[in-house]
Amino acid sequence: MSEQQDASFAGREAAARSSAGKQRPKVGIVLVSHSKEVADSVARLAVGLAAGRDSAPVEGAGGGPDGGLGTSAELISAAAHKVDTGAGVAILVDLGSAVLTVKVLLAEGDELPENAQLVDAPLVEGAIAAVVASAGGADLAEVAAAAEEAYHFRKV
Amino acid sequence: MTDLTDELDAGTVFRWLTAAAASVEREADLLTELDSAIGDADHGSNLQRGFAAVVTALGKESPSAPGAVLILAGRQLVSSVGGASGPLYGTLLRRTGKALGDADRVTGSQLAEAMRIGVDAVAQLGGAALGDKTMLDALYPGVEALAAGGPHPYGAARTAADEGALATVPMRARKGRASYLGERSIGHKDPGATSSALLFTALAGAVADE
């Protein structure tokens, strides 16, 4: 079962890569965690594991307004604008206030770049899948699907 | 005595939110203590930071319509709280403010209707319902009592919200961090419902001041 899903993921990725023009802007990815260290480290991990390709724009948005554990609307908004190349922005989050804050920012309408999307995916595995897909030239829907698929990679 | 046909203006809402900030400041330790039992012990300090930002922003901008005051305050809460209570209270105030529109004066009935829309938006955002041991367990009874009117609608709303918060003690949490505790969440008063009750106390105080 997992092999089959791996194969379909690889296929999607290859298709995304071959259909992508070289000049096509890449989907930006924002990683929101309650911890700055987690957000930034997961960003580095995902870019590192996608090595060998041109990377995708990835930013961590971790920690609260006071720099401690929590969620900062300002950091999320700034990170989303930073990675926005016009191809859309996929936002992955850990839990609780990270989920709620992104939902509220999306509902506001003008806080995030147009074509920003909250992706329902596990943060670490989803980030790796999203960065690999985006680096390979996938569009926003494909990046989101790759990240969401990470929920189904069973480990046992 | 106030009733629901009495009109409120931006000044009333300003006093309401200022009183809420003072009350959050006063009760911050209690809120954090309640949150340390079933959450992550930051509810008091988070709301304190959020409402301090609200008071600062209102001091600078002072909008002239009740709806605009609430929208500005909600925005401050979303950006400065840092925990789940920021987006939740921010949504409550913003959606209530949006529902009031740009009228300079609104009646208590209009406020009650707008708050009902705000509370529904909170329920939708958090995916929670009455009885889940959340802030909704104080907000819904408070709004219903306010909408029902009567000789002392704001006092009745305060009482209903207080009772709603107290009623969370025997509940088992089904949302948020507290839900991870399962059965162990029973026997503790919900910090979110407690802070929501403070909001109705502040409203009753602000209206009676007129």
Side-chain angles (χ1 to χ4, degrees), chain B residues 23-179:
Chain B
S23 158
V24 162
E25 179 84 33
R26 204 165 46 240
E27 304 294 344
D29 288 346
L30 168 71
L31 294 174
T32 290
E33 193 186 312
L34 293 172
D35 196 31
S36 71
I38 58 171
D40 50 359
D42 62 3
H43 193 54
S45 48
N46 279 349
L47 279 190
Q48 224 177 342
R49 182 170 57 236
F51 275 96
V54 167
V55 171
T56 304
L58 291 179
K60 276 187 199 148
E61 288 191 37
S62 40
S64 60
V69 174
L70 289 166
I71 289 171
L72 176 62
R75 189 187 185 83
Q76 298 303 314
L77 291 177
V78 172
S79 58
S80 61
V81 167
S85 53
L88 292 168
Y89 278 117
T91 293
L92 173 67
L93 299 190
R94 278 186 58 90
R95 292 297 287 270
T96 300
K98 278 189 174 176
L100 287 177
D102 52 12
D104 284 342
R105 301 181 70 83
V106 300
T107 64
S109 303
Q110 286 171 320
L111 178 66
E113 274 317 301
M115 283 186 78
R116 200 198 303 257
I117 291 169
V119 177
D120 283 341
V122 171
Q124 199 194 1
L125 176 65
L130 204 61
D132 283 347
K133 197 179 180 99
T134 71
M135 57 197 280
L136 295 175
D137 292 312
L139 291 177
Y140 272 124
V143 164
E144 292 312 319
L146 186 60
H152 299 284
Y154 297 96
R158 178 189 57 207
T159 304
D162 277 341
E163 287 170 358
L166 203 57
T168 62
V169 174
M171 291 177 185
R172 177 183 171 152
R174 285 196 288 258
K175 283 286 158 188
R177 199 77 49 94
S179 65

Side-chain angles (χ1 to χ4, degrees), chain A residues 52-132:
Chain A
R53 311 160 202 275
D54 296 336
S55 193
V58 188
E59 276 289 317
D66 59 353
L69 297 181
T71 308
S72 160
E74 255 96 52
L75 278 182
I76 296 168
S77 181
H81 285 286
K82 199 166 166 187
V83 300
D84 180 27
T85 62
V89 176
I91 306 176
L92 279 72
V93 302
D94 56 9
L95 77 172
S97 63
V99 183
L100 298 178
T101 302
V102 172
K103 280 187 179 173
V104 168
L105 290 175
L106 286 169
E108 307 270 312
D110 55 355
E111 296 285 336
L112 295 172
E114 240 181 284
N115 217 0
Q117 185 184 329
L118 173 60
V119 175
D120 187 10
L123 185 65
V124 177
E125 292 88 339
I128 295 163
V131 172
V132 170

